[in-house]
Structures are given as structure tokens and as C-alpha cells.
Amino acid sequence: METVTPQTLRYPLFDIIWDYLKALTGVLIGITGLFYGAENLFSQILFGSIFLLFGFYGIQNYKQQITRILIDQEGVEIRAFSRHKLRWNDIEEIDLRYYGRPSKKTEATAETEREKHLSSSRKEKGILRLVLKGKNGKISCDSGLYGFRYLVWCSTQIVKHHKPLLDPHTVGNMLDMGFDPEGQSRKPDTLESGFLKPGQK
């Protein structure tokens, strides 16, 4: 799509470092329990599970750290442990969902909070997850990604040019972010914080 400006998007390292610390803490607890407190089978299973769980969490953090999403006029590509690219005209379905914790606030206040969260690229009590699905697989990312708003805007351009499937939740979340999938939406500033220049790593 000619309207798309090539960009390379990634997750913020600061957030990933905190996730690494959480994973390291869990792994150390698991190892300590196995060596010093696992006197019976139940304790071994408990601390072994903690070790495996946080170890897997650490691997996922590393995957997020090395993830790069490349956008150009031909399509979108994700690079992590492997590479996968979808051409814009091969995308058949777009799914944009909000996942957040329930709140005890009044309905009006909760709706105001939700709109405020959806208008930002990082959520305090939840995240947006974007999934682009095509014949050859799918590409997914969440709102922690630097440049997430730009990628969602690109998705609205796909809608206008190639007519992929959208459900009501996806349309509503796009509108809440300020993007009309059936009309003209202002292109986000590609120079704002969170965008990398093409080729930068």
C-alpha cells in the first residue's frame, strides 16, 4: 500500500528488563526450594513447577526482546526466533481485542477509563492484542509494542483496500483508538517516540 511508510517496530527494553527480574526471581525461588526445601515429593513438584514456569516466562521475555515487526508497502513481517511475512493483500481477517481486569468503578467511570486506555499504546490494567490472519499463518502483537497505533492504522488501510473480515469488537476497538476502518483516519506521526527508522535495530 502506497500510504504505508516503512517502519521497524519493537518492544520497549525497559519493560522487558522488569519482566526479566520477575523471571529471575521465580527461577531462583524454584532452584532454592529444590536444593534446600524439597524434602518430599510434593515440595519437589511445587518448586520444580515454579522453576519451569518462570523459566518459560524468561524465554518468552527473550523472544519479546528480539522481536522486530517490519512494515513496508508490500506487507508486514515479524522476526523473532524465525521470520514470517504476510502481504497486505493476503490478509483475510483482522482481530483487535482488549484484555483488561474488571473494575469496581461505576459504569460511566469505567467507560471513560477504557477509552483513555484504548487511546494509548500501553495499558495500565490491560492490553490490546492485534492479530493479522492470512492463508499462510498469522502475525500477532500487543499494545506494549512501540508503534502499535501505527500498525493498527495500517490495518484500517487494509480494510479499505482488501476488505478482510472484521468482527464488531474489532471495529469498536479501532473506533475507540480514533481510527475509522471504513473512512479516512489521520495517519499517526511516524516520527513520534516509539518508532525506529527503517533498518535501525
Side-chain angles (χ1 to χ4, degrees):
M1 296 182 293
E2 295 182 357
T3 55
V4 172
T5 303
Q7 296 291 327
T8 300
L9 315 179
R10 68 178 181 183
Y11 288 93
L13 183 58
F14 178 80
D15 291 345
I16 297 174
I17 289 176
W18 280 110
D19 289 336
Y20 272 134
L21 292 176
K22 296 175 186 177
L24 179 60
T25 300
V27 168
L28 290 177
I29 291 174
I31 292 177
T32 302
L34 285 174
F35 278 96
Y36 297 102
E39 300 177 352
N40 54 60
L41 181 59
F42 175 78
S43 297
Q44 292 174 355
I45 294 175
L46 175 62
F47 287 106
S49 299
I50 292 175
F51 172 78
L52 292 176
L53 177 63
F54 281 92
F56 177 76
Y57 181 55
I59 293 174
Q60 292 301 109
N61 291 336
Y62 177 70
K63 179 181 179 181
Q64 190 176 63
Q65 176 187 342
I66 65 174
T67 294
R68 298 290 184 272
I69 293 183
L70 287 73
I71 302 172
D72 57 29
Q73 295 178 359
E74 295 183 356
V76 57
E77 178 180 354
I78 186 169
R79 298 179 182 179
F81 293 138
S82 60
R83 295 185 179 185
H84 182 62
K85 184 170 185 175
L86 289 177
R87 297 178 62 87
W88 297 125
N89 56 5
D90 290 335
I91 295 176
E92 301 176 333
E93 184 177 352
I94 299 174
D95 187 56
L96 180 63
R97 300 285 175 143
Y98 177 75
Y99 299 92
R101 297 197 298 269
S103 174
K104 296 183 179 179
K105 298 180 180 179
T106 63
E107 183 177 349
T109 303
E111 182 64 23
T112 302
E113 289 289 331
R114 181 174 180 272
E115 291 179 357
K116 181 178 70 174
H117 291 331
L118 291 176
S119 66
S120 64
S121 62
R122 187 65 176 173
K123 309 297 174 297
E124 294 180 3
K125 294 186 177 181
I127 61 170
L128 280 166
R129 177 166 292 277
L130 176 68
V131 181
L132 306 175
K133 303 177 183 179
K135 297 178 180 178
N136 300 321
K138 65 181 181 180
I139 290 177
S140 65
C141 62
D142 62 52
S143 50
L145 181 76
Y146 274 173
F148 182 80
R149 285 181 57 82
Y150 182 69
L151 183 55
V152 173
W153 177 84
C154 291
S155 299
T156 64
Q157 303 307 297
I158 302 172
V159 175
K160 290 195 297 184
H161 289 83
H162 306 297
K163 306 299 181 182
L165 294 176
L166 298 178
D167 62 27
H169 292 288
T170 296
V171 173
N173 286 329
M174 286 181 172
L175 291 173
D176 284 341
M177 293 183 69
F179 303 128
D180 185 355
E182 297 183 354
Q184 295 292 332
S185 301
R186 186 181 66 83
K187 183 178 181 180
D189 184 2
T190 58
L191 297 179
E192 69 181 277
S193 177
F195 287 96
L196 298 177
K197 296 179 180 179
Q200 182 178 351
K201 298 183 179 179

